[in-house]
Each structure stands twice: as C-alpha cells, then as structure tokens.
Amino acid sequence: MADDIDEAVSQALDEAPERNFRETVDLAVNLRDLDLNDPSNRVDESVVLPSGTGQETQIVVFAEGETAVRAEDVADDVLDGDELSDLGDDDDAAKDLADETDFFVAEASMMQDIGRYLGTVLGPRGKMPTPLQPDDDVVETVNRMKNTVQLRSRDRRTFHTRVGAEDMTPEDIADNIDVIVRRLHATLEKGPLNVDSIYVKTTMGPSVEVA
C-alpha cells in the first residue's frame, strides 16, 4: 500500500502544471455502501498528520488569565469573555472569524458561553472549539492542532482533505495519506469495503488514483 501511495503522489506532483503559487496537495475520498443520511455513518474525524499539513493553520483560542497569556505565543488570536460576547452581538464578524479560522480551542469553563453566543455560527461549520481542561497545556494543544486536518463527509459520498503542499517530499505526503487511509479503514463500519476510491491531486493538477 505504502509504495502505491508513494508512486501516486510522485505522479501527481510530476504532472502538476507549473503555477505561480504554492499549491496544496489534497485527497479526494469516495465512499460506498453507506447511508449518509444517517449521521452515525458519516465520517467526522480529526487526524494529526505526521509530516504536518505544509500550510499555515489558523487557530483561535478563547481563554482568560494565565492560559490566555501562554496562548498568545502560539495562537493566531486569543479572545476573552468580553470579546466573545461582542461576537455574539455581531453576526457578520462571527461568520468572518469562523470562515477564516481552521480550529478553535477554548477553556472548558467558557464552552457554555461559546455555545450560547456562537453555537449557531460554529456548529453548522463543524468548528465548535476543542475544550481545554484545566490540566491541559494550551501550547501543546495548539501546536498539535497546527498539524491536524478534518475528515468530514457530511451527507456526501465524496469529500476532500488537505494532505500537504507541493514542496513537501512525496514520502512525507505519502506518510500523511497512509495515516488518513488507516484512520478511515478503522472508522468506517465495513472498513476498506466502504471506500470506493481515493485520489490525490495538487490544487490545479490532475487526479491520480491512490486506492
């Protein structure tokens, strides 16, 4: 399997036309034999990529006190309770923040307020924060999330996820894909039998079948 993934990634990178921007490398997964109208059959997983995403990941932390101070060093933005309630009154600002941010992290004590003020914005986007328990290290949590991608099928048979960038080595991208494929096989009811096909491609390049 790993050699096949290596070959497919190398081919996708080689065949990608030259662009004047740094392209991401994406995986397209096609599922089969699943009733995706039943939410329990849908894929909704966070996966930490061993070689990183190859891209900046925007992370916003809701925190106060010492946790907020420590988060300043690693997060793109840190918001306190007052700023949270302000967002609750400004739907457009809340939507902009949700669309610009890959992941949210929040102190567990703030989760109830986040649900109240931002639940209708973050919930449908699948972006409710990861709760930070009192013993959790906010720096470690944020750094781990910088290498995390979401596998989310919703009710569609085909979904996409980022697995790297074109200037990463094929081996590193293949390692990331391998982890995602293993997670899918472990998560799906019938494992590999629920996967119809998987393709890898750069943003603008041709698709190459991986599995």
Side-chain angles (χ1 to χ4, degrees):
M1 176 80 169
D3 288 347
D4 293 347
I5 296 176
D6 262 354
E7 269 177 46
V9 171
S10 295
Q11 187 181 334
L13 292 175
D14 289 346
E15 292 181 5
E18 284 291 316
R19 301 285 172 190
N20 57 2
F21 63 94
R22 182 170 177 253
E23 293 189 84
T24 59
V25 180
D26 300 315
L27 209 60
V29 178
N30 300 300
L31 302 172
R32 68 176 175 205
D33 300 334
L34 282 169
D35 175 12
L36 294 173
N37 291 320
D38 178 353
S40 68
N41 289 328
R42 295 176 188 175
V43 176
D44 191 358
E45 298 282 316
S46 297
V47 181
V48 180
L49 300 184
S51 305
T53 65
Q55 209 176 333
E56 290 294 310
T57 302
Q58 291 284 114
I59 297 175
V60 170
V61 175
F62 291 103
E64 300 197 309
E66 189 190 343
T67 304
V69 174
R70 299 197 65 224
E72 293 278 359
D73 290 338
V74 288
D76 294 284
D77 204 358
V78 181
L79 304 175
D80 63 20
D82 290 341
E83 289 164 304
L84 170 59
S85 63
D86 288 346
L87 278 172
D89 295 331
D90 189 341
D91 213 33
D92 288 339
K95 285 176 181 170
D96 286 346
L97 180 70
D99 291 339
E100 290 162 8
T101 304
D102 294 296
F103 296 109
F104 292 92
V105 178
E107 287 188 282
S109 58
M110 297 176 75
M111 287 297 289
Q112 196 172 348
D113 282 345
I114 289 167
R116 190 166 86 224
Y117 291 124
L118 297 179
T120 56
V121 174
L122 299 183
R125 289 169 171 76
K127 289 188 178 179
M128 284 301 285
T130 296
L132 202 62
Q133 303 304 332
D135 294 343
D136 291 343
D137 181 347
V138 66
V139 174
E140 196 178 289
T141 301
V142 169
N143 283 334
R144 186 176 71 244
M145 296 190 87
K146 285 180 179 175
N147 294 324
T148 297
V149 293
Q150 290 292 121
L151 309 184
R152 186 174 288 120
S153 67
R154 297 193 174 89
D155 58 355
R156 291 194 289 275
R157 198 174 71 89
T158 299
F159 66 95
H160 301 83
T161 188
R162 189 166 73 208
V163 290
E166 64 177 349
D167 54 1
M168 289 169 63
T169 67
E171 293 77 17
D172 282 349
I173 296 170
D175 284 345
N176 286 344
I177 294 173
D178 190 48
V179 167
I180 287 172
V181 171
R182 287 170 193 269
R183 175 67 73 85
L184 281 172
H185 288 175
T187 302
L188 293 166
E189 188 185 3
K190 296 178 183 167
L193 297 176
N194 287 136
V195 178
D196 193 9
S197 57
I198 299 177
Y199 290 85
V200 63
K201 68 187 289 296
T202 62
T203 312
M204 310 293 283
S207 298
V208 179
E209 190 161 3
V210 172

